[in-house]
Structure formats: C-alpha cells, structure tokens
Amino acid sequence: MNPPGIMVLNSYPNLLDICGEDVSDFQQPLRSLPCTVTSPSNTSGPDWESSNGSDLVGSAPSCLKRKIVAANFLPLNCMKDEATGEWSFVMDDNQLLVQLKDGFPIDNEVIYVGSLNVQVHPSEQDQVSQKLFKEHICIPTFLPADLQQQFYHRFCKQHLWPLFHYMLPVCHDKGELFDRSLFQAYVRANKIFADKVMEAVTLNDDYVWVHDYHLMLVPTFLRKKLHQIKVGFFLHSPFPSSEIYRTLPVRDEILKSLLNADLIGFQTFDYARHFLSCCSRLLGLNYESKRGHIGIEYFGRTVSLKILAAGVHVGRLESMLKLPATMSKVQEIENIYRGKLVILGVDDMDIFKGISLKLLGLELLLKRTPKLRGKVVIVQIVNPARSIGKDIEEANNEAISVAQRINDTYGSANYRPVVLIDYLIPFYEKIAYYVASDCCIVNAVRDGMNLIPYEYTVCRQGNEEIDKLRGADKSSLHTSTLIVSEFVGCSPSLSGAFRVNPWSVEDVADALYSATDLTQYEKIQRHEKHYRYVKSHDVAYWARSFDQDLQRTCKEQYSRRCWTTGFGLNFRVIALSPGFRRLSLELFASSYKKANKRVIFLDYDGTLVPQSSLNKAPSAELISILNNLCNDTKNIVFVVSGRGRNSLCEWFDSCENLGIAAEHGYFIRWSRAAEWEVSSLCQCSEWKLIADPIMHVYTETTDGSSIERKESALVWHYQNTDHDFGSCQAKELVGHLERVLANEPVVVKRGHQIVEVKPRGVSKGIAVDKIIRTLVNNGEVPDLLMCIGNDRSDEDMFESINKATSYTDLPAIPEIFACSVGPKASKANYYVDGCSEVIRLLKGVTVVSSQMDAASHSHVSPKDILEVVN
C-alpha cells in the first residue's frame, strides 16, 4: 500500500506533467496560496477565488519582504514529553540556516521549509505543523518513514554523497550500482519539498533559497508551478569533476534542474569550474564573465554563478566564550594537558574525514621524532555519523584500532598520544577545546567547506576573561596554528595554514612537526592573518552577498516573456523579449498575399536542412517548394549560406530563378544564368599562405580537428575533439592568427566549434544589405522582407533587414519578418520550431503564389492554405 498522499510513479520520465507551448508573462500577478499547513495526506488544493490574505500561511504586511529557506532538515531540536505526549521544539542557534538570517535586511521575514529529524505520527502532523509555524515560522515536510529511508539514507547518502566526494561505485556485490527506484524516491521527496515551499510563496518579492544536494530537483518543481519564482540554490558539498559526475545515470536531469534556479552558489571556484565543465560537455552550454559575474546562457535566461565560501557566526562564538561553563572547562583542559602541545581534530564520523590518515601521520611523527613522545597529544572529537552503513562502521573501527595501537606503542600510564572523544559533547565543551588547543588539524580527503578552522581561529582570539584566567596581559597577542587538507573548501582562504595532501602520511607527519617547531612570532602572524579574514567574511557577509546577487540576477530576468517547454525533468522556461513570438502560417500568409514585391532570405544548414542530417543535399520536396516560390514574379528568393559556391550550385542546379549568396555573401549570384559577383574586398589570397600552415600545426596536434578550405576563407573545425582541449586550442589558435595576420585585410573569428579566417567586410548581413539596396536602385522596392536563420551568422541578416525600416530612399516601410529557427535569444522578432516548420511555412505560402493569378482563387483563405499544407 502506498504511503498517504504519495503517488507511486511507474515511469520516471513522466514525473512532471507534459508542458505544452503555453505562454506566460513573468510580470503576471501572483495568486495567493491557501494557508492551511497540512500533512501530505491532507494537502488542501488552491482556492484562487476565495483566498483571503488574513488566512494565508505567513500572511504579512505587504511591505514585509520574505525569504523562504528550504533545506533537508529544519534547524530545530525536537523533544517529546513521553508523559504528556506533547512535542516541544527549540531553534538550534548553532546551525548555519539560523545564523544566515543576520545577513538579511531587518525588515525581512524568514520562513524555513524542511523535515524534522524525528518521525511524527500522521495523526499528530497537523497539530505539529501549526505549532511549528506559530512558534518558529517553520513548515515541515513530513516524509513517510520508508520514503525518508530511500531518499535520504540510500539515494542521498549512498549514491550522491560518495559521488560528489569523488568516490565511484566499483564493487558491484556491495549494492553500489545505481538504483532507479531510489532516484524515483528522490524525485518524490523533492516534489513534496517544493509543494511545501509553494505554500509559503505569496508575494512577488518573495525569494526562495534552496540548500544542498538533497534538494537539487526542487528548482524545476518550483519553476513548473510558478514560472517567475525567484530561486537561489547553494551547494554546500563539493561538485565533482566532469569525469566523475558523468558516471551518474541521471546527470542531465539534475543539471537541467539546477539551471532552473536563477543563482547557483558554490564554496570554491574548483566546484564551480567542474559544474561549468559538465554544463558545457553534457548540455553544450557556454558561459561568460561580465563585470566579475559568471553567467550561463540557458534558453534566454542568464543563470548566474556565485563563488563564496560560507562563514561562521563570530558573535555567537564570542558569546559562548563568555559562559562560565566554557571558562571552567578551558581551565580543566589546560590543567590536564599542562606542558603538552595539544593538537585538536573535530570531525564527523565519515569515510571522507581522514581521521585514520591523521592518526597515521601522528604515528609516523612519533616514530621518527622520539623527542616529541610524551609531549604531543591529539585530541580527536568524533561527532556522531549523519548516516548509517557498513562503510561508516568500518571507518569507526579503523580509527579506534589505529588510536589503540599508537597508545599501546608510544603511551604510558601518564600519557596517551591519542584521546578519542567518540560521544556527543555540549557545544560549550567543544569551544573550550578550541581555546585550549595549540593546533587544529582538518585532514579530510574531500570536504565541501568545513568551518572547523574558522571556529578554532575565532576561539583562539579569546577574550579578556580567558586572558585573566591564564594570567596573560591585556596587550598579549594571540596565536593559532592550522593544518588543513588541500581538498577541503576552506583551504584556499587560509593562506597561513600548513596545507597537506591527506593521502600522504609523510606529508601529514611533516606538517605536524612544523606545527610543533613554529616560533611565537610566526604563530602570531598566522593567527592575525586568519582572524582578519574570518571576522570580515562571517556568515552574515556570506548570506548578504548571496542575497544581493540573487536580487541582481532576478532584476533583469522578469522583464521578459516566457515560454514553458520540455517533458518531465527536462522542463524549462524560455525567457525572451516581449515582442518575440511564434510565426504562424496564417499571419505570414496574410501579409504575403498583400505584398507586391517580396524578398526572402533563407539560411541553409539548420534552416532548410536539419543540422544533424548526414545527407546535406536538399530533398526533392525542398527543390519543388523553392521553384514554386521563385516562379512567382513578385518574389526574389536567396539562399544565404556559409557553404562554398560549388556545392550550392550543384544542389540547386534545377532552381533557375533562385539567388545564391555563398561563403557568407563573398559570392553572390542572382539566378542560375547570371554571373557570380565577387566581393571587391580582399581578392588577394596571400594571407592563406600564412594562415594555412598554422592551422595545419594545430590540426596535427589536436586529434579530431580538421581544416575546411573555402575560396574566400579558411575554417578550423574542432567539434570532434576533446571538449576542453579543443576549446583551449581554439583560443590559442585565435590569438596566434590575430598576431600574425594583424596587417592583413582579414578577420579571425571564433564561432560554434570553429575558428574562421575570412576577408574583412564579408558577412551575411552585408550581403543582405547589398541585395536590398540593389533592388531599390533598380526600382524594385520591396514591401515585404523575410529572413529565416538558425545561428549566430544569421543574426547579422536579422539586423540588416530590421534596419531596412530606416532606409530614407524607400517610399514606404516594408513589413519585416525576421524569423529564428527555435525559440532563443535573438535579434529576430519571430520564431518557428524547427526545419520541418520552415518547410511547412514555405509550402503554405506557395499555395498563395500558385493561386494569386487566378481570379477565382484570388481570395484563398488561411483555412484553405492549412488544408493544402496538412
């Protein structure tokens, strides 16, 4: 039997409703959602007509801006009184989700959405929901126990967590192979989270901030429900290199969902770089940096990337230092370890924290440096594991075994080199260990951020009370020493730390020795450098910076119109300018029929013939359509292509009246019987003797690349090369060619997986402009201009025909149809879906051409045209 309120989905591609071509406006008013917070089995539907602002969840004065923070778990401590059965909840002020509120403006309300870390019986869920919202402004998700197990403990912790930490499933007998049913559980859980977020969203100014890898599909579900929703996503874990990430069977679905956010945050540039590489390799997306902000162009939307490590709440740590319990514990620890150098480790019990490797480093240090025996102690605080599994158990047993061996070998009755604290201790006690420790070591083999070094640095700064307890003078300077794995996110920001390769026991041992051998001056300098950074880049700074970037990103997005498209998790929003719309046959046929002189420009590859087609020659149907168009005396039709004139002549030999502009307009022929007009610009080709050998060198050194030698140009293709290497070589080639051809009358341009050298002043736009002006000078003034194209070079054509409206020598402004193949950011004002739609459009207007001369058919209707085409 299915869990209450959860529908089992049999086919994962249909996890979302099929999205059609419905058009939405980003500026449409938001409709308020109902207020009742319920369990999954009792979720109330929206009541658009009767919803009252006073009844809404989180209803607030219109001036109050709100942030909805969604995370896997709510930042709460939960307790149940067994005697009364009453639940009580307390905000955990030590959690990042609570502390980030300090970065928001004071007039912002923060609503939390997430699960509780305890199971609540379905009969209690409504009461608990109301209590949580009333007392803490929290909306719980209440995942059923079996779904929570599959979603969190199995898919998140056994699939995503290892993969995002660079661990591939290599042992098939351990059940590590990808399980599609677990991904379905992940989808269902994300859908529940998104539904709960939507219960909180009521205002245009609401912003949603989704946290971490557990909820990577939430942006798609939110965007599906409300196209103009403002969504930020922050990944706290690492993002693996593309070689690792590409092994994930649902890699595309997750990437596309993340791209439905407006802003995606990462702890370090490495993680962002890996994400960009995956988007480029898997989805063919490009990115660019504008004024310091990295953006990915995704179907008309600019998805921004934010690179900023999270910080700690300095004020919270400083207040904990003042507690009497903390100061008392500091004294106790310092008395226990008086005369010894204390090295502190604080880690979750996890296979990636490198606890055993850290201890092995100490073992090697004591083995080869006898003078440190009895003087160096590692206190290892082990936080409880966040998940369960055989790997966790093995890591725990290994750490205990190594610690026992070191203590047996180098310890004595009064000295234990390793002190394992493998039970839960109060936060103030952890703070006390920070204060009392001479050095802190974080030796994780991979970690998203790890704030332990930041917390340690703040605590080592201490305060006046602690200084008095130690008998230190007010003017005394504080010290701290850090050993940090180079594979944790905080490493780049701690330039004064000893950075180590955690896999190298010798490297760890050397760093431990260096930490024991520092002078007082060096300790002070390292501490002051770290403290300045941690103090200025605290959690409030991180949250404020992310919030400001999210607002900046959204500001430009929502002046555009949007189309929704895509099936299931491939759903996406296409954002385009308000004037950009689909070109219908009826609209074009109506204008076409009224026009007395029409000029039609058609791109070839990707417009008349699919880009993916292996046979690039035109079909018999296309030849017939073009001939029908050309035979109408009111039409001038040109194929404008980057291809060479020889292949175009061969393919269109049967089109007597068709005009051809080859090689981006370097060669123009008005009909089959006409002579080729050659551009007067750069008819010399000596520059090829310079460029060709250089391209040849890059072709030899770049496997999969090739050279296309045109009459007017040279093109280096690298679409079949390794993506990153090909792009790197292309960038280098462009620079090389620009240097050696600086004094030649040519330009070097980088296009889609090509590098082209061609004469200056040659483009499709210039060719179109020349053709139009020639017609005007010959007295053939067009009153309709049509242009269809699909790539960057065609944007020049769109720009040219749009400018035709400003020609002063035209008696009347012609009607313009600049049409892009596919909805995307373009200078065109119309679009059609694909090559088949182009053929259908052209075929439809040939009906008009063939019947215009017959009086009986002079008033052919759009309905008649559609019947012929279909």
Side-chain angles (χ1 to χ4, degrees):
M1 186 173 179
N2 301 336
I6 302 297
M7 179 177 67
V8 176
L9 302 169
N10 296 320
S11 176
Y12 91 93
N14 297 316
L15 293 169
L16 290 174
D17 294 333
I18 292 176
C19 304
E21 298 232 349
D22 52 307
V23 180
S24 277
D25 196 317
F26 276 128
Q27 296 173 307
Q28 65 184 359
L30 280 166
R31 296 170 294 186
S32 298
L33 291 160
C35 74
T36 310
V37 182
T38 61
S39 65
S41 57
N42 298 314
T43 303
S44 60
D47 181 5
W48 305 125
E49 302 301 326
S50 59
S51 59
N52 187 312
S54 62
D55 296 327
L56 297 174
V57 166
S59 59
S62 59
C63 61
L64 192 65
K65 295 181 180 179
R66 305 190 314 166
K67 304 289 191 299
I68 296 100
V69 177
N72 184 34
F73 288 115
L74 292 170
L76 295 167
N77 292 321
C78 313
M79 292 156 285
K80 186 175 184 179
D81 188 321
E82 296 299 332
T84 63
E86 287 291 317
W87 284 97
S88 61
F89 304 95
V90 179
M91 273 288 183
D92 186 352
D93 293 335
N94 297 321
Q95 290 205 32
L96 191 72
L97 295 181
V98 177
Q99 296 171 355
L100 62 79
K101 291 195 296 184
D102 286 4
F104 298 150
I106 195 169
D107 63 343
N108 278 203
E109 180 183 39
V110 178
I111 301 173
Y112 292 102
V113 176
S115 294
L116 295 171
N117 55 11
V118 294
Q119 281 294 321
V120 177
H121 193 274
S123 63
E124 301 176 288
Q125 288 176 2
D126 281 340
Q127 181 182 354
V128 168
S129 294
Q130 294 168 13
K131 181 182 179 71
L132 281 173
F133 194 83
K134 182 178 180 181
E135 295 180 1
H136 301 292
I137 323 183
C138 291
I139 301 177
T141 53
F142 294 129
L143 300 183
D146 59 339
L147 180 60
Q148 175 73 10
Q149 176 70 20
Q150 292 180 315
F151 154 67
Y152 179 68
H153 292 290
R154 297 196 61 192
F155 189 75
C156 287
K157 284 299 181 182
Q158 294 181 18
H159 282 293
L160 292 181
W161 177 258
L163 187 82
F164 276 43
H165 287 74
Y166 292 67
M167 178 179 283
L168 292 173
V170 292
C171 300
H172 300 170
D173 59 338
K174 289 189 177 181
E176 293 178 342
L177 285 178
F178 183 82
D179 187 337
R180 182 72 64 179
S181 66
L182 296 182
F183 178 64
Q184 291 179 341
Y186 182 77
V187 174
R188 297 205 310 273
N190 273 249
K191 178 68 165 59
I192 292 172
F193 275 91
D195 289 343
K196 290 299 180 181
V197 169
M198 290 306 301
E199 289 184 10
V201 176
T202 60
L203 301 171
N204 274 317
D205 289 333
D206 289 355
Y207 288 84
V208 180
W209 189 354
V210 183
H211 288 264
D212 222 5
Y213 68 98
H214 317 89
L215 305 180
M216 291 188 291
L217 301 183
V218 166
T220 284
F221 288 110
L222 294 178
R223 191 71 67 192
K224 173 74 166 66
K225 287 177 175 290
L226 197 60
H227 307 325
Q228 76 274 42
I229 195 166
K230 300 167 182 175
V231 182
F233 179 91
F234 195 90
L235 184 67
H236 294 267
S237 78
F239 194 93
S241 66
S242 64
E243 288 76 13
I244 301 291
Y245 181 80
R246 285 184 301 176
T247 64
L248 185 64
V250 289
R251 59 194 191 179
D252 286 3
E253 290 89 332
I254 289 175
L255 278 184
K256 290 174 181 177
S257 181
L258 290 176
L259 290 168
N260 274 321
D262 296 295
L263 178 67
I264 307 171
F266 297 93
Q267 303 275 18
T268 71
F269 175 70
D270 274 351
Y271 306 154
R273 177 168 54 85
H274 295 159
F275 176 77
L276 291 170
S277 178
C278 289
C279 288
S280 181
R281 285 177 175 270
L282 298 175
L283 304 180
L285 300 177
N286 296 315
Y287 70 92
E288 60 181 347
S289 180
K290 292 181 179 178
R291 298 180 181 177
H293 300 287
I294 299 174
I296 302 174
E297 288 299 320
Y298 188 59
F299 293 96
R301 296 171 53 244
T302 300
V303 181
S304 294
L305 265 59
K306 176 74 174 176
I307 303 166
L308 182 64
V312 296
H313 197 296
V314 177
R316 169 71 175 159
L317 293 171
E318 289 174 342
S319 66
M320 292 295 294
L321 287 171
K322 296 177 182 178
L323 294 177
T326 304
M327 291 189 284
S328 175
K329 191 66 181 178
V330 170
Q331 282 186 305
E332 179 187 332
I333 296 168
E334 289 183 341
N335 288 333
I336 292 173
Y337 298 106
R338 191 173 303 280
K340 295 181 175 61
L341 189 143
V342 179
I343 300 172
L344 179 67
V346 181
D347 302 280
D348 295 343
M349 177 45 66
D350 189 280
I351 58 176
F352 298 108
K353 298 302 181 182
I355 297 175
S356 298
L357 294 171
K358 180 191 309 181
L359 299 181
L360 290 173
L362 174 68
E363 184 178 38
L364 180 60
L365 174 71
L366 296 176
K367 179 181 179 181
R368 67 188 188 185
T369 317
K371 68 177 183 179
L372 292 178
R373 297 171 189 171
K375 296 181 179 179
V376 175
V377 175
I378 278 191
V379 176
Q380 178 62 54
I381 298 174
V382 182
N383 300 321
R386 299 187 186 186
S387 189
I388 54 177
K390 188 176 180 181
D391 289 340
I392 300 292
E393 186 179 340
E394 290 174 352
N396 186 53
N397 292 338
E398 183 182 14
I400 294 172
S401 174
V402 174
Q404 185 63 50
R405 185 177 73 233
I406 295 171
N407 288 336
D408 290 346
T409 305
Y410 300 104
S412 63
N414 299 319
Y415 170 63
R416 282 193 303 158
V418 180
V419 178
L420 273 184
I421 302 176
D422 55 357
Y423 50 87
L424 194 63
I425 63 174
F427 187 63
Y428 79 86
E429 191 169 330
K430 194 181 296 182
I431 295 295
Y433 273 104
Y434 285 144
V435 175
S437 300
D438 301 282
C439 175
C440 180
I441 178 170
V442 173
N443 201 52
V445 296
R446 185 69 62 179
D447 209 348
M449 182 56 195
N450 201 311
L451 295 173
I452 298 300
Y454 290 4
E455 292 179 349
Y456 168 74
T457 300
V458 173
C459 292
R460 286 292 289 179
Q461 184 69 13
N463 55 39
E464 289 185 12
E465 288 78 5
I466 291 175
D467 288 342
K468 286 179 182 177
L469 284 175
R470 291 170 165 170
D473 188 81
K474 281 185 179 181
S475 60
S476 62
L477 300 174
H478 301 91
T479 65
S480 64
T481 307
L482 284 169
I483 300 172
V484 179
S485 162
E486 62 189 62
F487 301 120
V488 300
C490 64
S491 176
S493 62
L494 299 170
S495 57
F498 292 104
R499 293 197 182 100
V500 297
N501 174 6
W503 296 104
S504 170
V505 175
E506 291 81 3
D507 202 9
V508 176
D510 289 343
L512 288 169
Y513 180 79
S514 297
T516 66
D517 201 38
L518 283 177
T519 65
Q520 187 73 0
Y521 176 76
E522 286 179 299
K523 292 177 183 178
I524 292 171
Q525 292 300 309
R526 290 169 186 265
H527 171 76
E528 288 182 349
K529 188 175 188 178
H530 293 157
Y531 184 72
R532 281 195 302 270
Y533 177 84
V534 174
K535 179 85 171 176
S536 60
H537 291 74
D538 62 355
V539 65
Y541 174 85
W542 169 71
R544 182 166 54 252
S545 181
F546 188 91
D547 182 46
Q548 289 171 351
D549 273 16
L550 180 58
Q551 293 186 47
R552 174 191 57 78
T553 301
C554 293
K555 188 175 181 180
E556 297 179 359
Q557 304 279 45
Y558 299 99
S559 61
R560 300 180 178 183
R561 210 172 180 194
C562 69
W563 282 255
T564 62
T565 186
F567 297 86
L569 293 174
N570 290 318
F571 173 85
R572 59 189 178 275
V573 168
I574 301 170
L576 300 165
S577 60
F580 192 75
R581 58 194 183 278
R582 184 174 180 176
L583 179 59
S584 67
L585 176 56
E586 296 91 331
L587 173 64
F588 181 56
S590 175
S591 298
Y592 181 94
K593 182 180 172 183
K594 297 173 187 174
N596 293 314
K597 195 64 182 180
R598 318 176 193 101
V599 184
I600 301 172
F601 299 102
L602 304 169
D603 174 45
Y604 187 71
D605 291 280
T607 301
L608 298 178
V609 176
Q611 202 86 49
S612 58
S613 176
L614 294 177
N615 180 14
K616 297 296 185 180
S619 64
E621 181 189 24
L622 176 57
I623 294 293
S624 173
I625 291 170
L626 291 176
N627 275 325
N628 286 337
L629 285 174
C630 294
N631 290 338
D632 188 331
T633 56
K634 293 183 178 181
N635 290 342
I636 300 290
V637 183
F638 266 86
V639 170
V640 186
S641 173
R643 287 187 173 273
R645 57 177 172 173
N646 292 334
S647 56
L648 293 174
C649 282
E650 179 185 346
W651 289 342
F652 296 108
D653 184 63
S654 58
C655 298
E656 185 176 352
N657 297 317
L658 177 67
I660 296 176
E663 298 192 18
H664 298 291
Y666 186 81
F667 300 103
I668 296 177
R669 189 182 73 178
W670 289 77
S671 66
R672 188 177 66 186
E675 295 293 325
W676 284 100
E677 298 175 8
V678 183
S679 173
S680 59
L681 299 168
C682 187
Q683 293 191 8
C684 63
S685 58
E686 285 81 1
W687 60 268
K688 291 185 180 179
L689 300 176
I690 303 172
D692 199 308
I694 295 173
M695 285 188 173
H696 180 74
V697 171
Y698 282 82
T699 303
E700 288 291 315
T701 57
T702 312
D703 190 35
S705 63
S706 61
I707 302 173
E708 179 187 0
R709 295 175 175 87
K710 300 180 181 179
E711 290 183 73
S712 68
L714 291 175
V715 185
W716 188 73
H717 295 268
Y718 62 95
Q719 64 266 33
N720 296 322
T721 67
D722 174 83
H723 183 274
D724 290 339
F725 183 56
S727 296
C728 179
Q729 290 289 81
K731 183 178 179 181
E732 178 66 24
L733 177 59
V734 169
H736 194 164
L737 290 171
E738 284 179 339
R739 287 192 297 273
V740 299
L741 298 174
N743 297 321
E744 301 293 333
V746 293
V747 292
V748 182
K749 284 198 172 183
R750 186 174 174 183
H752 181 61
Q753 297 183 323
I754 64 164
V755 174
E756 184 173 21
V757 184
K758 63 180 183 179
R760 294 183 191 276
V762 174
S763 73
K764 289 185 177 181
I766 293 173
V768 165
D769 185 69
K770 179 181 177 181
I771 291 167
I772 294 173
R773 290 190 180 279
T774 301
L775 289 171
V776 172
N777 292 337
N778 292 337
E780 299 181 83
V781 180
D783 49 7
L784 183 147
L785 294 172
M786 154 67 96
C787 177
I788 309 179
N790 77 309
D791 64 18
R792 278 187 211 167
S793 63
D794 300 317
E795 294 296 317
D796 293 336
M797 288 201 289
F798 300 149
E799 189 174 12
S800 284
I801 69 166
N802 285 330
K803 285 181 180 177
T805 57
S806 61
Y807 287 178
T808 57
D809 47 358
L810 291 180
I813 297 175
E815 191 163 6
I816 305 293
F817 288 92
C819 184
S820 167
V821 179
K824 54 196 171 191
S826 174
K827 294 174 183 175
N829 48 2
Y830 296 96
Y831 78 93
V832 291
D833 285 330
C835 295
S836 60
E837 190 72 14
V838 175
I839 299 301
R840 181 174 177 271
L841 187 73
L842 297 177
K843 186 177 180 180
V845 294
T846 60
V847 176
V848 178
S849 291
S850 62
Q851 297 182 358
M852 284 289 287
D853 292 336
S856 60
H857 299 287
S858 59
H859 297 287
V860 60
S861 69
K863 182 178 179 182
D864 298 329
I865 298 171
L866 286 173
E867 287 178 356
V868 172
V869 172
N870 295 328

